Amino acid sequence: MVIGGETSLRWQGTGIGEIVSLWTNRRALTSLARHDLRRTYAGTVGGVLWSFLTPLIPILIFSAVFSFGLRLPLGGAPYIFGFAAAYVPWVLLSTSISGASGSIVAHRYLVKRIPFPVEIIPADAVLVHTLPHVLLLSVTGAACLITGYVRFPDFLLVLYFYACTVLLAISAGFLVSSITVVARDFQQMLPSILQVWFWLTPIAWTGALLPPPVRTLLAFNPAGYIVSGYRHALMPKIFAAPTVLESAAFWILCLGTLMIGAACFRRLRGYFWDCL
């Protein structure tokens, strides 16, 4: 099922046409995600639990090093809570972008089918990694609830910031997946880019103690808005909500990434057949 030409022309150049296509082809998208989820964990004993257990190791290591070793402050709560609240959305964002980068190459057999809505392939990674995200978020949320950090209705903001994460991941996914098809070296560079992005994002640290000019620059990191939002939703008594400036900067950057990513995807789509 593909979207009509009128809808495509109306939203051409904005990236919204690709988002509409994801909704129109949602059955194909969910079917592809279920297939990839089963294929990823086929033959393993732990199955999807491995994607849940793997992020726990960095949480424990960072908490031990920065809390007991370097004694780095992170709000007024134990370090492990503040770090986990920010690391959970980062795992979803980074793994979705990383998964999207090689998605077109991995699904070359679908690209060569006519017709097929190729734009749903990069978004598939977001759905695949949403399940372990829900598991991680449930454990982190339960821990914050038991210790008295969760407060309703602030906790419901998780749904909004999850939607922000999904939109940013899909927008970046359009860009990185199309670039990888024509420049395979980019997929090898991406982990290093994500590693730098991790340290520039207030996950293992907080921007509250930074000078005001630096905090203003930090507002233009869209991942910073997401992790700060998750922290506030899970621990509103400790971490403040993102400011109006941070919200405005995020949506400008996110929609700009969507426009650039969708435009790049459309421009390079004509070369997919030859490069694959």
Side-chain angles (χ1 to χ4, degrees), residues 6 19 26 45 68 112 137 145 166 225 233 238 240 244 252:
E6 182 180 351
I19 300 298
R26 60 189 179 277
V45 177
F68 300 107
K112 295 185 176 182
L137 180 61
L145 179 63
V166 169
Y225 175 77
I238 305 298
V244 175
I252 291 173

Side-chain angles (χ1 to χ4, degrees), residues 3 20 36 39 68 90 165 167 194 208 221 226 242 249:
I3 59 175
V20 172
D36 286 346
R39 185 184 63 178
F68 300 107
W90 170 257
T165 308
L167 182 58
L194 291 175
N221 179 354
I226 291 172

